[in-house]
């Protein structure tokens, strides 16, 4: 309860600070499923991405955020992340205990935030989408909410005082995230990952800043990863 209290204190403090340091615009906030559990699946550009999304949602009901273990090595950063609802996972080690914990929380109505690429990208392009977010959403019977974070910079990276757009897409229904035929599990996961990739790319196409439009039009999406991996 102490970390929950700190979350309620920190949330309204951090909001104006973010809007001083960056020019933030939120698009599609009406698409956020209110009152039912869901899995936010966002692209990943900066360690601050979870904070941007939490402030855009601005819900007093705290999300659980899946974050890489390295972020917790700094005591102050680790304390802040835990206050904001983050839990660590060991990347590439099949941390099924954490995944099961998040699935149970989602079943009980807690929103989950995952970055399916598992790591940050330096150019703004989508990386390889992993399977963990779909495993949790399917097991919890939850919708998946695609979110695209877009920087209004030439290099696609975060800079102080730059423009920043957080775009919430339409939720992918829980029924569409179920594996209907276990004998074709790989193909089903590939279908889901391709759908999320298409949704995220469309959000960029529809909401890119003018400075990035020419580059985005020429970009080729990375090939999807067929291996069913846990989130990193």
């Amino acid at each position: 309860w102490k970390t929950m209290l700190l979350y309620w204190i920190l949330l309204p403090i951090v909001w104006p600070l973010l809007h001083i340091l960056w020019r933030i615009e939120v698009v599609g906030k009406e698409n956020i499923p209110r009152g039912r559990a869901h899995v936010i699946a966002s692209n990943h550009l900066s360690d601050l991405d979870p904070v941007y999304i939490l402030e855009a949602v601005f819900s007093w009901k705290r999300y659980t955020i899946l974050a890489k273990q390295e972020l917790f090595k700094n005591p102050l950063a680790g304390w802040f992340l835990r206050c904001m609802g983050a839990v660590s996972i060991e990347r590439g080690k099949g941390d099924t205990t954490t995944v099961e914990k998040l699935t149970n929380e989602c079943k009980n109505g807690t929103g989950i935030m995952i970055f399916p690429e598992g790591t940050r990208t330096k150019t703004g392009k989508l990386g390889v989408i992993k399977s963990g977010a779909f495993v949790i959403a399917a097991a919890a019977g939850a919708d998946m909410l695609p979110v695209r974070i877009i920087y209004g910079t030439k290099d696609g990276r975060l800079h102080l005082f730059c423009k920043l757009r957080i775009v919430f897409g339409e939720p992918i229904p829980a029924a569409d995230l179920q594996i209907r035929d276990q004998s074709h599990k790989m193909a089903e996961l590939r279908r889901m990952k391709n759908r999320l990739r298409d949704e995220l790319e469309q959000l960029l196409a529809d909401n890119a800043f003018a400075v990035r439009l020419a580059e985005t039009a020429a970009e080729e999406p990375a090939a999807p990863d067929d291996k069913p991996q846990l989130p990193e």
Side-chain angles (χ1 to χ4, degrees), residues 174-207:
D176 293 352
L177 300 171
Q178 297 299 313
I179 296 177
R180 307 178 187 93
D181 185 352
Q182 289 294 327
S183 64
H184 294 87
K185 184 175 181 179
M186 295 291 290
E188 290 282 278
L189 282 170
R190 185 165 55 248
R191 170 185 62 81
M192 296 176 197
K193 290 190 282 186
N194 287 341
R195 177 170 179 180
L196 176 61
R197 175 177 289 280
D198 290 344
E199 296 278 355
L200 291 174
E201 294 290 26
Q202 191 61 52
L203 292 178
L204 175 61
D206 292 342
N207 297 278

Side-chain angles (χ1 to χ4, degrees), residues 6 45 102 138 201:
L6 285 169
L45 302 168
L102 265 65
E201 294 290 26

Side-chain angles (χ1 to χ4, degrees), residues 86-108:
V87 296
S88 64
I89 188 167
E90 293 189 65
R91 297 194 294 173
K93 295 188 178 181
D95 192 349
T96 55
T97 300
T98 299
V99 172
E100 184 177 351
K101 177 179 181 294
L102 265 65
T103 300
N104 289 332
E105 288 186 10
C106 193
K107 285 180 180 178
N108 292 327

